[in-house]
Amino acid sequence: MSSRLSVLLAAGSGRRMGFVKQFQKLGNRPVWKWSLETLFAAGVSRVAFIVPDDDVPLMEEALRDDPNSDRVLVAAGGNTRGQSSQRGILRLLADIAIENWQSTYICVHDAARPFLTVHDTVRVFERAEVTGAAILAQRCKDTVKEEQNGVIVRTMPREALWLAQTPQCARADWFVDAYKKCDVDCVTDEAMLLEACGRKVELVEVQSFNGKLTVPEDWKYAEWLVTEKGQSE
């Protein structure tokens, strides 16, 4: 029987948003709590919660009264997404016997995607448990242009294009192997890290809205979803 673990990334600076979004309330709870509750409801047994170094005490205090606090490991992130993800994964594996890594699956999720559903989370885990690695993604609906100096140089066939989201899930031993072979600072997500090491990563098409809070307009839309669509519970 496989074990499911997760890294929840909230170590970003919030530069494009204008504030550190993970501690802001969305509806009746802070942004970080949306994803944390979803991950546990999807069968995750433990979460490594990665936040900026200065925010570790604040996050530990915020979790003090959370019913899942004993299953959350708070740790400081690195200078890049790759470093933060690596720190979270290795922190989780520090508590696991090496012989169990092949039956352990770890998903990495951005706390800035608070609308992740239990259903989509379970689907990614289930596919990874069959193939070794899988990520949640959305088919590209728009025509994509490649440019140079503001001028279109190529129109790309959108039929083969997907927009990567999170969770991104894989066997624990695949991650460990990738960290030995590849530079985490040269990748922008976990799928790219695994690809660089020759691993095949399957795509799982998202079935519910899973947008990322990146710029102020995203926050406004999220607040609208919560108030108008009743997604605060």
Side-chain angles (χ1 to χ4, degrees):
M1 183 175 180
S2 63
S3 174
R4 297 177 179 179
L5 307 175
S6 181
V7 174
L8 185 59
L9 296 177
S13 65
R15 184 179 64 256
R16 285 177 288 179
M17 183 66 75
F19 56 85
V20 182
K21 50 187 172 279
Q22 60 262 32
F23 294 109
Q24 295 292 319
K25 273 200 170 183
L26 182 62
N28 62 357
R29 50 194 161 152
V31 169
W32 60 263
K33 199 160 190 174
W34 287 71
S35 296
L36 193 66
E37 291 177 349
T38 297
L39 292 169
F40 284 128
V44 168
S45 61
R46 182 160 291 200
V47 172
F49 198 166
I50 308 302
V51 300
D53 186 39
D54 292 342
D55 291 337
V56 170
L58 181 62
M59 196 68 252
E60 290 177 334
E61 178 63 29
L63 283 163
R64 194 176 302 279
D65 297 324
D66 190 278
N68 292 306
S69 59
D70 60 335
R71 297 197 285 163
V72 181
L73 306 169
V74 181
N79 295 323
T80 65
R81 180 208 167 84
Q83 290 180 16
S84 295
S85 178
Q86 181 183 34
R87 289 185 182 187
I89 288 173
L90 296 182
R91 179 67 181 85
L92 288 170
L93 295 180
D95 297 328
I96 299 175
I98 293 177
E99 60 266 22
N100 292 332
W101 285 2
Q102 291 184 353
S103 60
T104 298
Y105 291 80
I106 302 175
C107 82
V108 179
H109 182 61
D110 294 322
R113 294 186 185 274
F115 296 112
L116 174 68
T117 65
V118 172
H119 177 65
D120 277 337
T121 306
V122 170
R123 291 173 61 237
V124 173
F125 267 113
E126 289 179 341
R127 197 61 203 151
E129 288 163 353
V130 173
T131 66
I135 72 168
L136 202 62
Q138 181 179 3
R139 289 184 183 274
C140 189
K141 300 175 182 178
D142 299 319
T143 299
V144 179
K145 307 290 187 180
E146 181 180 350
E147 63 87 23
Q148 290 182 4
N149 300 318
V151 177
I152 296 171
V153 295
R154 183 164 68 111
T155 298
M156 304 177 70
R158 66 183 179 187
E159 293 78 13
L161 297 177
W162 290 70
L163 304 178
Q165 298 186 358
T166 62
Q168 302 198 359
C169 183
R171 280 172 40 169
D173 59 322
W174 282 20
F175 279 125
V176 172
D177 180 62
Y179 292 141
K180 293 177 181 177
K181 297 178 179 178
C182 304
D183 183 358
V184 297
D185 292 333
C186 295
V187 301
T188 56
D189 66 1
E190 293 65 50
M192 187 176 178
L193 174 72
L194 295 168
E195 293 164 41
C197 297
R199 301 293 188 183
K200 292 184 179 180
V201 182
E202 291 216 2
L203 295 162
V204 176
E205 187 169 8
V206 63
Q207 293 186 350
S208 300
F209 176 72
N210 188 36
K212 188 175 183 180
L213 304 178
T214 303
V215 296
E217 288 73 18
D218 299 329
W219 186 267
K220 292 177 183 178
Y221 182 61
E223 288 184 318
W224 177 82
L225 280 177
V226 169
T227 56
E228 300 297 325
K229 298 283 188 177
Q231 294 194 21
S232 59
E233 299 300 328

